[in-house]
Amino acid sequence: MPNLAGSTSQLRDFGIACQAHQVAIIGAGNVGRTLAQRILAQNLADVVLLDIVPGLPQGIALDLMAAQSVEENHSKIIGTNTYEDTAGSGIVVITAGLARKPGMSRDDLLHLNASIVVEAARQAQQYSPQALFLVITNPLDVMTYLTWQVTGLEPQRVMGMAGVLDASRLQAFIAGYLGVCPRDISTLVLGGHGDLMLPLPRYCTVRGVPITELIEPAIIEQLVERTRNGGAEIVQLLQTGGAYYAPAASACTMIASILNNQSRLLPAAAYLQGEYGLRDIFLGVPCRLGCRGVENILEVQLTESEIEALHRSAASVRQNLEQAQQSG
Ligand code: TXD
């Protein structure tokens, strides 16, 4: 049986207080600034926005601060180029790095982004030793591993954002096809945030009704394929960068679950220690997210071919990780 219920009470017994309501966002690019905007608009937390480019985070912070006044919100933001200013954050989000250009895969970003992410994690942790880390930079699963490695934190305090985004794309495509509200659709995508991600139609439902009872297999395959290529489709259209509205919304949903201890079951890149037959790897799996970070990993039943596909995805993540570690 899936293991979700087991450790709930155990974890609650710890009675650990939720993290400080300050989020540091490292990288004030499209994803970072859009995430800042969402956090502020919901008054979820104060935000410290950091970027390497002088003036950039400060300018965005001033603009967002005025928006807060217009909307009569109270959460505050500052922009900075100095890690010292991120001190005392409860969550550090790493979104610094380069985004994909047309024709580039997420993995092409590997070496360029590895050194940026490792340095960002190291510096941020120095000033916020209590923080949880949420990684967004691509290639996601590898960057999350490197962040965990360099910070030396307990695995549940480090996670990567990708599954919420991938699942939301599938959700949108199914909703569009069926002509129903996306809210009524629930989807599950496992695996690495790459071409080998594993959308699981068997576990996708419309208000509890499996989509396999509502949509032809060939159409489901098209929707799944479009999900796998969802990021690339946007990169191709934009030509100058990648998606950022849905990525920011996805990260914000995870942050809300952590800061408000909502215990939502959301897919995240989490450290596996035997779950799904995998060890010592960060990979997308359903997680319960609360104030301690990844509080529990749900292991759903998979068929033999689904397990094989998941392990293929894991093998590709591992290969990239080894490359990154050799070069670093
Ligand atoms: O699902 C997911 N995980 C993703 C991942 C969804 C969307 C985007 N995804 C990845 O996030 C994307 O492939 C990139 O690797 C990151 C950031 O994407 P974004 O679209 O925000 O990229 P931008 O707009 O180029 O912004 C990157 C910012 C930019 O302002 C740089 O100046 C800054 O990062 N940057 C740095 N900040 C601090 N420190 C250092 N060293 C640094 N280097 C660059």
Side-chain angles (χ1 to χ4, degrees):
M1 280 297 280
N3 57 340
L4 198 59
S7 50
T8 309
S9 53
Q10 239 176 23
L11 289 166
R12 295 250 158 89
D13 285 347
F14 282 113
I16 300 245
C18 276
Q19 302 295 315
H21 279 223
Q22 175 180 297
V23 175
I25 302 176
I26 315 301
N30 283 334
V31 175
R33 65 183 71 172
T34 312
L35 175 60
Q37 183 190 26
R38 296 195 80 95
I39 292 173
L40 293 172
Q42 294 177 36
N43 283 317
L44 263 181
D46 293 337
V47 173
V48 181
L49 186 61
L50 183 146
D51 201 281
I52 198 168
V53 178
L56 177 77
Q58 291 87 345
I60 290 165
L62 272 177
D63 198 7
L64 285 171
M65 203 191 293
Q68 285 295 86
S69 302
V70 175
E71 294 179 349
E72 300 182 6
N73 290 323
H74 61 261
S75 291
K76 297 184 281 300
I77 179 165
I78 60 161
T80 183
N81 306 113
T82 312
Y83 278 90
E84 215 174 327
D85 293 331
T86 64
S89 297
I91 300 181
V92 172
V93 181
I94 301 184
T95 172
L98 305 176
R100 278 196 287 171
K101 302 207 168 53
M104 277 175 97
S105 75
R106 293 181 179 93
D107 297 341
D108 290 335
L109 299 173
L110 183 66
H111 299 289
L112 299 167
N113 284 349
S115 55
I116 294 175
V117 166
V118 163
E119 189 50 25
R122 201 197 315 269
Q123 296 237 40
Q125 192 195 20
Q126 197 185 328
Y127 293 100
S128 300
Q130 306 296 329
L132 300 174
F133 279 72
L134 173 59
V135 182
I136 299 183
T137 305
N138 271 327
L140 189 270
D141 308 271
V142 174
M143 295 303 135
T144 310
Y145 190 102
L146 294 178
T147 297
W148 170 67
Q149 204 172 36
V150 74
T151 57
L153 286 169
E154 301 96 314
Q156 72 265 23
R157 287 173 62 188
V158 180
M159 72 200 84
M161 184 291 293
V164 176
L165 172 66
D166 296 328
S168 74
R169 286 185 174 142
L170 183 56
Q171 192 180 352
F173 297 146
I174 294 169
Y177 180 77
L178 290 175
V180 299
C181 178
R183 236 172 84 180
D184 291 334
I185 295 182
S186 170
T187 53
L188 183 59
V189 179
L190 301 182
H193 183 53
D195 303 337
L196 296 177
M197 72 177 74
L198 187 64
L200 287 172
R202 283 190 315 120
Y203 286 119
C204 298
T205 64
V206 184
R207 284 270 161 203
V209 181
I211 62 159
T212 45
E213 290 179 18
L214 302 170
I215 310 177
E216 297 287 317
I219 303 283
I220 291 179
E221 194 39 48
Q222 284 171 20
L223 302 177
V224 161
E225 207 39 41
R226 193 169 179 201
T227 301
R228 285 205 186 97
N229 296 323
E233 187 178 347
I234 293 172
V235 170
Q236 198 57 43
L237 288 165
L238 295 181
Q239 292 287 311
T240 54
Y244 52 96
Y245 289 115
S250 303
C252 194
T253 297
M254 295 171 75
I255 290 168
S257 188
I258 293 167
L259 289 179
N260 298 333
N261 203 20
Q262 292 169 336
S263 298
R264 290 200 58 189
L265 188 65
L266 298 168
Y271 188 69
L272 301 184
Q273 303 179 74
E275 296 89 351
Y276 296 95
L278 293 163
R279 268 180 200 287
D280 192 29
I281 190 167
F282 275 83
L283 206 65
V285 288
C287 298
R288 189 179 54 222
L289 298 186
C291 63
R292 287 165 51 85
V294 175
E295 297 191 333
N296 194 229
I297 291 172
L298 175 66
E299 254 186 293
V300 297
Q301 298 268 349
L302 297 182
T303 64
E304 227 165 84
S305 67
E306 287 165 348
I307 276 281
E308 260 171 43
L310 187 66
H311 282 223
R312 262 201 306 280
S313 174
S316 138
V317 170
R318 251 190 238 289
Q319 205 179 9
N320 280 335
L321 178 63
E322 277 160 23
Q323 268 188 43
Q325 285 170 329
Q326 273 159 21
S327 73

